[in-house]
């Protein structure tokens, strides 16, 4: 492949990435607008007969959607897998499956946590969009660090509930501990194989050869320390600040590496 062909291929890849980023932005904006509308008619509704009945109807609707939408997602996922096997319509079916997953998660969260679930989704939807942008525009190791840091930020909010014997707090603490341990083991495995992961007897490239694993291990340690501090001291603002500051440091570092 000559230089001109390489430039054309790179331009094509950049266009594909740009299209994916734009779709993520459009999807997150539309979903956020839907949540804002839902906040008006479901959470902070006017205390008159019409809006009270509408909120009650929506509450019943979410009981149904929390069951129907996950089933629809499974069906769309199966359709995407079939399309991928056939080698056609993968983008369309993949996009539909992703949209189905987003709506299913929103419906389940609102069904379980009600008004607080809507408030949580206000933050979760833009956060997911930002993580998607990091995935497409930055190195994969930065994406992993960003996901772990985001889970740490959520942990600072949720983990203090352990002191009130909250099942949610204990469940999140267990899930976060398992995830951090699994991430550390995965990073070590990738480091030993120079960024490759054994899959079905083959080594698949996950991280580049020059990946900085020290930052990944430090991210696990920072998130774990923030989580422990949140359990012991409560959801202090300084804990949010530490995690956000670490994310900014990582963003600067990986931005410089792109140059």
């Amino acid at each position: 492949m000559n230089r001109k062909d390489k430039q054309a291929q790179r331009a094509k890849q950049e266009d594909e990435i740009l299209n994916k980023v734009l779709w993520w932005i459009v999807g997150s904006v539309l979903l956020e607008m839907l949540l804002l509308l839902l906040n008006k008619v479901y959470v902070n509704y006017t205390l008159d007969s019409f809006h009270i009945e509408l909120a009650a109807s929506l509450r019943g609707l979410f009981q149904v959607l929390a069951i129907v939408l996950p089933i629809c997602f499974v069906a769309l996922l199966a359709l995407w897998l079939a399309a991928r096997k056939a080698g056609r319509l993968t983008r369309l079916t993949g996009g539909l499956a992703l949209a189905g997953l987003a709506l299913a998660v929103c419906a389940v969260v609102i069904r379980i946590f009600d008004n607080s679930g809507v408030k949580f989704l206000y933050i979760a939807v833009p956060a997911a969009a930002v993580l998607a942008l990091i995935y497409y525009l930055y190195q994969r190791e930065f994406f992993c660090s960003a996901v772990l840091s985001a889970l740490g930020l959520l942990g600072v909010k949720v983990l203090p509930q352990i002191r009130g014997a909250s099942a949610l707090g204990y469940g999140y603490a267990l899930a976060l501990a398992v995830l951090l341990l699994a991430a550390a083991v995965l990073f070590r495995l990738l480091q030993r194989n120079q960024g490759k992961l054994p899959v079905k007897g083959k080594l698949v490239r996950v991280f580049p050869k020059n990946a900085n694993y020290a930052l990944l291990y430090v991210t696990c340690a920072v998130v774990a320390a923030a989580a422990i501090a949140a359990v012991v001291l409560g959801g202090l603002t300084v804990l949010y600040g530490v995690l956000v500051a670490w994310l900014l440091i990582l963003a600067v570092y990986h931005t410089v590496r792109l140059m």
Side-chain angles (χ1 to χ4, degrees), residues 71-81 93-94 96-101:
I71 295 175
C72 291
F73 163 67
V74 173
L76 290 170
L77 181 62
L79 183 63
W80 173 72
L81 292 173
T93 54
L96 291 174
L98 190 60
L101 175 62

Side-chain angles (χ1 to χ4, degrees), residues 52-140:
I52 291 175
E53 291 177 2
L54 178 60
S57 299
L58 288 174
R59 186 166 283 106
L61 177 63
F62 279 114
Q63 292 179 354
V64 177
L65 291 178
I67 299 173
V68 173
L69 288 178
I71 295 175
C72 291
F73 163 67
V74 173
L76 290 170
L77 181 62
L79 183 63
W80 173 72
L81 292 173
R84 186 180 181 183
K85 187 176 181 180
R88 58 183 181 179
L89 298 177
T90 54
R91 292 184 180 180
L92 176 61
T93 54
L96 291 174
L98 190 60
L101 175 62
L103 293 174
V105 169
C106 290
V108 172
V109 169
I110 295 173
R111 172 65 183 88
I112 295 175
F113 299 102
D114 203 41
N115 293 352
S116 60
V118 177
K119 296 177 181 178
F120 166 74
L121 290 172
Y122 281 160
I123 303 173
V125 169
V130 171
L131 290 175
L133 296 182
I134 292 174
Y135 177 80
Y136 288 117
L137 300 179
Y138 284 87
Q139 303 91 341
R140 288 183 179 177

Side-chain angles (χ1 to χ4, degrees), residues 148 179-181 183-184 187 215-225 246:
L148 293 175
L179 185 60
L180 288 174
L181 180 60
F187 297 152
L215 291 179
L216 292 168
Y217 296 135
V218 172
T219 298
C220 292
V222 169
V223 172
W246 179 244

